[in-house]
Amino acid sequence: MAEVKENHVSSRRQEILAAATQAFLDKGFSGTSMTHLAKVCGIQKASLYHHFPGKEDLFIACVTDGYAQAVDQLDDLHGDDTLNDVEKITAAFDCLYRITISSPVGRLSPVIAEVSRTMPNVAKMFHANYIARQQAVLEKIISAGVERGSYRPQNYKVLHHLVFGPIVTLSLSREMFASFDDLDSHFPVDELKAGHLSAILTELGVADTMQPLSQPA
Amino acid sequence: MAEVKENHVSSRRQEILAAATQAFLDKGFSGTSMTHLAKVCGIQKASLYHHFPGKEDLFIACVTDGYAQAVDQLDDLHGDDTLNDVEKITAAFDCLYRITISSPVGRLSPVIAEVSRTMPNVAKMFHANYIARQQAVLEKIISAGVERGSYRPQNYKVLHHLVFGPIVTLSLSREMFASFDDLDSHFPVDELKAGHLSAILTELGVADTMQPLSQPA
DNA sequence: ACTTCCCAACCGAACGGTCGGTTGATCTGC
DNA sequence: GCAGATCAACCGACCGTTCGGTTGGGAAGT
């Protein structure tokens, strides 16, 4: 009973958050109006203000709610001890690509960029709770491999640059050129991910096992 | 005389474009009002509409004007035959980092992402005249090196992913976290560029001459 | 069991203000 | 005197936000 009620209450809130996230993705922050938001939610504008004190708070809730679920996946990653070093980084790539390209919070990055000047606190929060945590998990995985001698020692600032750069840009490009009818041939996620992983493994000093060249011993 | 007049007329236009570009960078497209724009230009709003038929046209002019000057630098790059292959790609990295991070058009990318859903034609134009041309120049430089045997053959989609990804993300990050007081220590352009170039050279099959490890022959 | 009260949720209507865009008059340089 | 540049004033539409009021399902009082 109490559960039903709770579900009902939070589902309304979640419903608004989902619609708002989609709207912010489509039209940006300033381009999204509370009137439009109310319309797609099927409620009156005033009712929005019953659930959220203002537009800015609503946006912050979208971001917070978004990375809450995203970062959990990352923490699971590091904890898994059944994988060897290369398997671990492969799993990490799968996870990072999925989060950045498919999850709301990853896709919201350009919108956060839009408001970063007028709401610098949101940018700070986003960096601390999303960017920095992603970097920390990657750094843990790599440094563990370095200690075991699997990888060469790394400049981690450069490594983050090389790992996150292509992923974030791919996500941005896919948002930016979403209107292209040949989006997946322009930006084929799996192919780019595989090439990217291969390059990073090379950079880490791991012989690339995927090497397609038939090289007779 | 005619030159003076032309300068006068076009300087007014350039003045507006510069102020508008900065405003769009600060507040995004929807967040920038024509009223505010007129104020920072020191003219009346109606005068803006004398020079540009509308807000959207003004924005397009900002983008167009931005990459007009940016792409010229790129074409110079490919034409220079006094450089060898590695020098050429090093110069290309300098140029790409400079354009993407410092020039208006590079920094405008997040704003184009903001409007890409409502103005898909702008996104298309941006891709054709800026993204695609950058990729074409890079591809020419690399493929010339491949033909001469300096580089390993490449999957160019992956290569673009690896080269442009970190640069664009660095630019985005610096816009996004411009409010950080330690921006340059968080995102040290020269250090990241050097590490990035080194990794790409490795990927191209070039022995890294910058290798800091003292390795006795 | 029945009344009273509470309160979250929702609504229609309106607030002051700003939006992108327009009008017609005035100024300026040739 | 004439064409282009600039201006103050204005327009309807829409913005984020708030108001006063209604609803309906539980808790409290008797």
Side-chain angles (χ1 to χ4, degrees):
Chain A
M1 280 297 176
E3 188 184 294
V4 170
K5 179 189 169 186
E6 177 131 346
N7 276 356
H8 183 258
V9 171
S10 82
S11 84
R12 192 67 39 91
R13 192 188 149 94
Q14 285 306 120
E15 200 178 312
I16 296 173
L17 283 179
T21 300
Q22 189 55 53
F24 286 137
L25 284 172
D26 285 345
K27 305 168 180 251
F29 178 78
S30 298
T32 299
S33 75
M34 296 297 266
T35 304
H36 169 79
L37 227 42
K39 206 167 290 177
V40 301
C41 288
I43 60 177
Q44 282 296 322
K45 193 163 50 162
S47 301
L48 283 179
Y49 285 89
H50 175 74
H51 294 277
F52 300 94
K55 189 186 180 185
E56 185 170 327
D57 309 80
L58 173 54
F59 177 68
I60 293 176
C62 287
V63 177
T64 306
D65 184 77
Y67 62 58
Q69 56 198 76
V71 177
D72 288 343
Q73 303 179 32
L74 267 181
D75 286 337
D76 293 345
L77 238 175
H78 178 56
D80 192 340
D81 285 330
T82 67
L83 306 175
N84 67 31
D85 286 322
V86 172
E87 286 169 342
K88 223 169 194 174
I89 200 172
T90 303
F93 262 61
D94 284 337
C95 188
L96 290 175
Y97 268 81
R98 182 168 11 93
I99 288 178
T100 308
I101 293 175
S102 304
S103 85
V105 64
R107 300 170 61 210
L108 273 174
S109 299
V111 188
I112 294 170
E114 176 199 340
V115 303
S116 63
R117 242 101 170 177
T118 49
M119 302 160 54
N121 53 321
V122 175
K124 264 199 165 98
M125 184 186 71
F126 179 74
H127 185 274
N129 294 323
Y130 179 66
I131 307 282
R133 290 186 62 175
Q134 280 193 333
Q135 292 183 343
V137 169
L138 178 72
E139 194 164 329
K140 269 189 182 176
I141 292 177
I142 302 293
S143 64
V146 170
E147 279 171 23
R148 270 191 292 274
S150 305
Y151 304 141
R152 273 205 299 254
Q154 296 297 319
N155 175 333
Y156 287 107
K157 264 183 199 158
V158 171
L159 189 73
H160 295 151
H161 187 50
L162 298 178
V163 171
F164 293 107
I167 304 179
V168 171
T169 299
L170 177 58
S171 173
L172 175 68
S173 299
R174 289 179 63 94
E175 294 298 316
M176 207 161 167
F177 306 123
S179 63
F180 286 16
D181 47 353
D182 52 352
L183 184 67
D184 280 315
S185 74
H186 259 95
F187 306 103
V189 176
D190 288 332
E191 179 184 353
L192 297 178
K193 179 171 68 178
H196 185 197
L197 174 60
S198 163
I200 292 297
L201 285 176
T202 303
E203 187 64 17
L204 289 171
V206 177
D208 195 341
T209 56
M210 311 282 283
Q211 205 152 331
L213 299 172
S214 59
Q215 205 160 323
Chain B
M1 277 300 177
E3 189 184 292
V4 170
K5 178 189 170 186
E6 177 133 343
N7 276 354
H8 184 257
V9 170
S10 82
S11 85
R12 190 69 38 90
R13 194 189 146 93
Q14 285 307 119
E15 202 177 311
I16 295 173
L17 283 178
T21 300
Q22 188 56 51
F24 287 136
L25 283 172
D26 285 345
K27 307 172 179 242
F29 178 78
S30 298
T32 299
S33 75
M34 296 297 267
T35 306
H36 168 79
L37 224 43
K39 208 166 289 176
V40 301
C41 288
I43 60 176
Q44 284 294 321
K45 190 166 52 161
S47 300
L48 280 179
Y49 284 90
H50 176 72
H51 293 277
F52 300 93
K55 189 186 182 185
E56 186 170 325
D57 309 81
L58 173 54
F59 177 68
I60 293 176
C62 287
V63 177
T64 306
D65 183 78
Y67 62 57
Q69 57 198 77
V71 177
D72 287 343
Q73 302 179 34
L74 267 181
D75 286 336
D76 292 346
L77 238 175
H78 178 56
D80 192 339
D81 285 330
T82 67
L83 306 174
N84 67 32
D85 286 324
V86 172
E87 285 168 344
K88 221 167 195 176
I89 201 173
T90 304
F93 262 63
D94 284 337
C95 190
L96 290 175
Y97 268 81
R98 182 168 12 93
I99 288 178
T100 308
I101 293 174
S102 304
S103 84
V105 64
R107 299 170 61 211
L108 273 175
S109 298
V111 188
I112 294 170
E114 176 200 341
V115 303
S116 63
R117 243 104 171 175
T118 49
M119 301 160 54
N121 54 320
V122 175
K124 259 193 170 105
M125 185 186 70
F126 178 73
H127 185 274
N129 294 322
Y130 179 66
I131 306 284
R133 291 186 62 175
Q134 279 193 333
Q135 293 183 345
V137 169
L138 178 71
E139 194 164 327
K140 271 188 180 177
I141 291 176
I142 302 294
S143 63
V146 170
E147 280 170 23
R148 269 191 292 273
S150 304
Y151 305 140
R152 273 204 298 252
Q154 296 297 319
N155 175 334
Y156 288 107
K157 264 182 198 158
V158 170
L159 189 72
H160 295 151
H161 187 51
L162 298 178
V163 170
F164 294 106
I167 304 179
V168 172
T169 298
L170 177 58
S171 174
L172 176 67
S173 300
R174 289 178 62 93
E175 294 298 316
M176 206 161 167
F177 307 124
S179 62
F180 287 17
D181 47 353
D182 52 352
L183 183 68
D184 280 313
S185 74
H186 260 94
F187 307 102
V189 176
D190 288 333
E191 178 183 352
L192 297 177
K193 178 171 66 177
H196 185 197
L197 174 59
S198 163
I200 292 296
L201 286 176
T202 303
E203 187 65 15
L204 289 171
V206 177
D208 195 341
T209 57
M210 313 281 284
Q211 206 153 328
L213 299 173
S214 57
Q215 204 159 324

